[in-house]
Amino acid sequence: MKILFVDDEEVIRDLFQEIFGSEYELVLAGTAEQGLTLAEAETFDLIITDIRLPRMNGIEFITKLREKGVETPFIVITGNQDIQISINALRLGAVDFFLKPFRMEAIRYSLLRFKNLFYAGKDLVDKRMFQVRESRQKFALLPRLGNLNQYVHLILRSLAHLPNLHNEDQLSLKVALYELIGNAIEHGCARITYHQKQELMFQENDYFSYVDKICESKEEWIKVEVDYDDTRVTVILEDGGDGFDPARVPDPVQDPNASQLSGRGIFLVRMNVDSLSYNDKGNQVTFVKKLQKVEVKQT
């Protein structure tokens, strides 16, 4: 995966290169202007940018990229005092955000989730791990974190023909599906609590494999139902877990000092969809994404 990392602090750029340089193809920039030039000249899978940059800040940087038609997914790095700016970034299509001081383990986890963002998933269909159950777009997914990116790709591929599905809509749906399917696997099927996840992220060298081994011992499927027309996409996900109370999950806006792993998923989904609701048990979630209207040109 090719990543553009933009930060005006040389020590941060060097640290990022030292930690992730052997795992990813990295290109570093010290200013938004440099990042803009690089992002226009090269193709990146992901952009990570600090909000506070000299002359042109991170929001202006991403805005200019979008104006030039560059739709690369991005992550923003910000301080607690800039949480409102982070919300604005999410509205521009950010797939994640990190509050300073951040842990490199948190970034590593986020990068792993998006590593195969655009990979095809034909092999999963051939292995019958991803099944189309009905023509009404009902899917069944074996709970495997290692397949998460490909599951999302396959679901979105079933929507590719929608005339009102613009790039920003696809990105929002990707973020929502990644977070919610990931939650269904980790917390629903594997029964891992948010507190346990924090500890396991530091204890296990391969957290993804650890979760998948738990899921392999159970005969459970995640059900995904997709309903759509030319105005909106509705997605319902259900797992066989014990459920949870969404009201008890920390909100990073209300409590920026809360765990960087707890609550951010639900928060990110809410910022990318038009409505989000859970059943009473908490093991079924429904979200709606409204689509932009197609402009009909007068002849």
Side-chain angles (χ1 to χ4, degrees), residues 29-291:
T31 66
E33 291 83 356
Q34 293 176 355
L36 192 61
T37 300
L38 288 165
E40 288 185 272
E42 303 179 43
T43 299
F44 294 93
D45 299 305
L46 181 67
I47 295 173
I48 302 176
T49 181
D50 195 355
I51 288 292
R52 290 184 175 271
L53 296 170
R55 294 184 298 278
M56 183 193 306
N57 65 36
I59 296 296
E60 294 170 332
F61 166 49
I62 295 300
T63 300
K64 287 185 178 294
L65 282 180
R66 294 298 185 255
E67 290 173 352
K68 294 177 180 294
V70 179
E71 299 293 340
T72 306
F74 68 97
I75 293 173
V76 293
I77 301 173
T78 184
N80 288 352
Q81 69 275 18
D82 296 324
I83 189 66
Q84 184 58 50
I85 298 177
S86 299
I87 293 175
N88 294 337
L90 288 166
R91 289 179 176 138
L92 279 175
V95 297
D96 209 341
F97 71 97
F98 295 101
L99 295 174
K100 290 183 175 179
F102 54 81
R103 294 172 174 167
M104 283 298 177
E105 290 84 358
I107 291 185
R108 184 186 303 278
Y109 177 68
S110 184
L111 294 180
L112 283 173
R113 289 183 304 161
F114 295 104
K115 185 176 182 180
N116 300 317
L117 189 59
F118 301 106
Y119 285 16
K122 183 179 181 301
D123 58 322
L124 298 183
V125 177
D126 295 339
K127 295 175 183 176
R128 300 186 64 78
M129 298 183 75
F130 182 100
Q131 301 175 5
V132 180
R133 290 284 176 88
E134 296 181 24
S135 61
R136 292 170 52 197
Q137 301 298 319
K138 288 188 175 182
F139 306 108
L141 288 61
L142 276 176
R144 302 290 187 271
L145 277 182
N147 296 342
L148 177 55
N149 301 304
Q150 298 178 71
Y151 286 154
V152 174
H153 174 88
L154 288 165
I155 292 173
L156 288 178
R157 192 171 68 180
S158 71
L159 305 174
H161 67 284
L162 289 177
N164 288 4
L165 193 66
H166 298 278
N167 287 337
E168 53 267 38
D169 296 324
Q170 293 188 51
L171 185 56
S172 294
L173 288 168
K174 280 183 181 180
V175 172
L177 287 168
Y178 265 97
E179 296 295 342
L180 294 177
I181 295 175
N183 282 346
I185 295 172
E186 295 174 87
H187 308 305
C189 298
R191 303 335 191 241
I192 294 174
T193 67
Y194 284 98
H195 179 71
Q196 289 172 333
K197 178 178 177 179
Q198 274 190 288
E199 296 179 345
L200 289 169
M201 287 290 295
F202 293 99
Q203 294 174 1
E204 297 294 330
N205 292 327
D206 190 342
Y207 174 73
F208 279 33
S209 296
Y210 177 85
V211 174
D212 286 353
K213 285 181 180 178
I214 296 176
C215 294
E216 286 171 6
S217 65
K218 303 177 180 181
E219 295 184 1
E220 294 184 4
W221 291 77
I222 296 171
K223 300 175 184 178
V224 182
E225 181 175 345
V226 181
D227 183 26
Y228 55 82
D229 57 27
D230 59 350
T231 63
R232 53 99 185 109
V233 175
T234 302
V235 178
I236 303 173
L237 294 97
E238 182 178 351
D239 61 68
D242 300 326
F244 76 114
D245 181 3
R248 299 184 63 182
V249 178
D251 185 334
V253 174
Q254 301 298 325
D255 185 7
N257 296 316
S259 166
Q260 294 200 28
L261 297 178
S262 298
R264 70 190 302 93
I266 295 176
F267 175 70
L268 287 169
V269 174
R270 289 192 187 280
M271 294 302 303
N272 280 279
V273 302
D274 294 285
S275 69
L276 179 72
S277 60
Y278 288 84
N279 63 354
D280 292 338
K281 183 179 178 181
N283 71 326
Q284 183 186 89
V285 58
T286 301
F287 73 82
V288 177
K289 175 65 179 176
K290 296 179 181 178
L291 303 180

